[in-house]
Amino acid sequence: MARFLIVEARFYAELNDKLIEGARAALEDAGHQADVLTVPGALEIPGAIALAAESGQYDGFVAIGVVIRGETYHFEIVAGESARAIMALTMDGIAIGNGIITVENEIQAQVRADPAQKNKGGEAAKAAIALLDIAQRFAH
């Protein structure tokens, strides 16, 4: 059994609840434990994961958030930079499933967040589990 931290950017509460529901179910179905940490926005997720990883309390992480395109360039910054920073942490050997969904509108977000539909939270949790399995396979 491994211990995972779900780090969520709590901007769209209802959508996040669905993403977390999917992530928790996937982790629990695989026999793992999960805690949730809330941060202000998607850009803060990688920093929170880095700090939590340094603590040694968790084996893997699931990033959860929703970024919906608006009228400004801010969407591209948030979507791109959060993904880039999560990828950098993953390349440093931290098992992270990226469940930050980036969409054009709330309808797309609802479909992707819903565990009964696209279940992106569950997919992110399964990715984190897979990366943890790979890390353990190649551990010295």
Side-chain angles (χ1 to χ4, degrees), residues 14 29 72-73 102:
E14 180 183 325
D29 287 350
T72 69
Y73 185 70
T102 54

Side-chain angles (χ1 to χ4, degrees), residues 4-133:
F4 286 83
L5 181 63
I6 299 169
V7 181
E8 66 146 342
R10 190 103 183 136
F11 197 79
Y12 296 98
E14 180 183 325
L15 295 168
N16 275 28
D17 287 344
K18 290 179 181 181
L19 288 164
I20 291 169
E21 177 186 343
R24 277 190 185 277
L27 293 168
E28 290 172 4
D29 287 350
H32 302 299
Q33 293 181 329
D35 295 326
V36 176
L37 174 68
T38 301
V39 298
L43 291 174
E44 289 75 40
I45 290 173
I49 289 173
L51 293 168
E54 286 179 14
S55 77
Q57 297 178 42
Y58 295 96
D59 302 298
F61 302 88
V62 182
I64 295 292
V66 178
V67 183
I68 300 176
R69 184 179 300 279
E71 297 176 359
T72 69
Y73 185 70
H74 187 67
F75 172 87
E76 283 81 6
I77 299 289
V78 174
E81 290 302 310
S82 62
R84 182 201 56 76
I86 288 170
M87 183 58 66
L89 292 170
T90 302
M91 296 302 292
D92 286 341
I94 300 173
I96 306 169
N98 188 349
I100 301 173
I101 58 175
T102 54
V103 296
E104 296 293 327
N105 55 56
E106 194 167 337
I107 294 169
Q108 290 177 349
Q110 290 172 354
V111 170
R112 284 158 180 76
D114 188 347
Q117 294 184 59
K118 297 245 181 206
N119 193 20
K120 295 300 181 180
E123 287 182 14
K126 289 176 184 176
I129 293 167
L131 285 171
L132 179 60
D133 290 346

